[in-house]
Each structure stands twice: as structure tokens, then as C-alpha cells.
Amino acid sequence: MELTINVAVLLAVIVFVRIRRRVQARSRSDQWLTVAVVLVLGILVAPTAFGQGVLDVVGQLAQGVSESGSP
């Protein structure tokens, strides 16, 4: 039996655990580490079908907001 772990899922779990910690208990280096992990997670998820779907939804949302703000 072989156990495989998807790196993106592992990073998502790490991000979830790190974000749930209290803000006051974080040092500046701890915050930068969280930012780096989130960026790597974004890079891993972006080329997938899920990442493209998120991009489409955010693009449509941004387009709707920009159109509603114009006279």
C-alpha cells in the first residue's frame, strides 16, 4: 500500500492551522512565513481546473463591481 499526499492539500492544511492562531502571538518572521506558504499554495493551485474556476469567478466579480461603479 502506497500513501501519496498532494502538496497543495498539505499546504492548505498548514495555512488553515497557521491562520487560526491568535494574531498577537505572531512574530514578524512568522507572518512572512505564512505569506510565503500562501504564495506557494497559490502557485500550485493556479494551473489546475479549480484555480481557473476561481480566477473566472473573481474576474466576473471584479467586472461587475467596476461596471456598477461607472455612471
Side-chain angles (χ1 to χ4, degrees):
M1 180 173 156
E2 184 178 336
L3 176 68
T4 60
I5 298 176
N6 189 343
V7 176
V9 173
L10 179 62
L11 284 177
V13 170
I14 291 171
V15 167
F16 179 76
V17 170
R18 293 184 67 83
I19 296 292
R20 289 190 40 97
R21 290 180 50 201
R22 290 185 24 192
V23 176
Q24 295 86 0
R26 295 183 188 167
S27 66
R28 190 173 299 249
S29 61
D30 192 31
Q31 290 175 349
W32 278 111
L33 180 61
T34 301
V35 169
V37 169
V38 169
L39 284 174
V40 170
L41 177 63
I43 291 169
L44 288 174
V45 170
T48 64
F50 174 73
Q52 293 301 314
V54 170
L55 179 64
D56 291 339
V57 169
V58 171
Q60 290 174 358
L61 180 64
Q63 184 180 8
V65 168
S66 65
E67 288 176 358
S68 68
S70 61

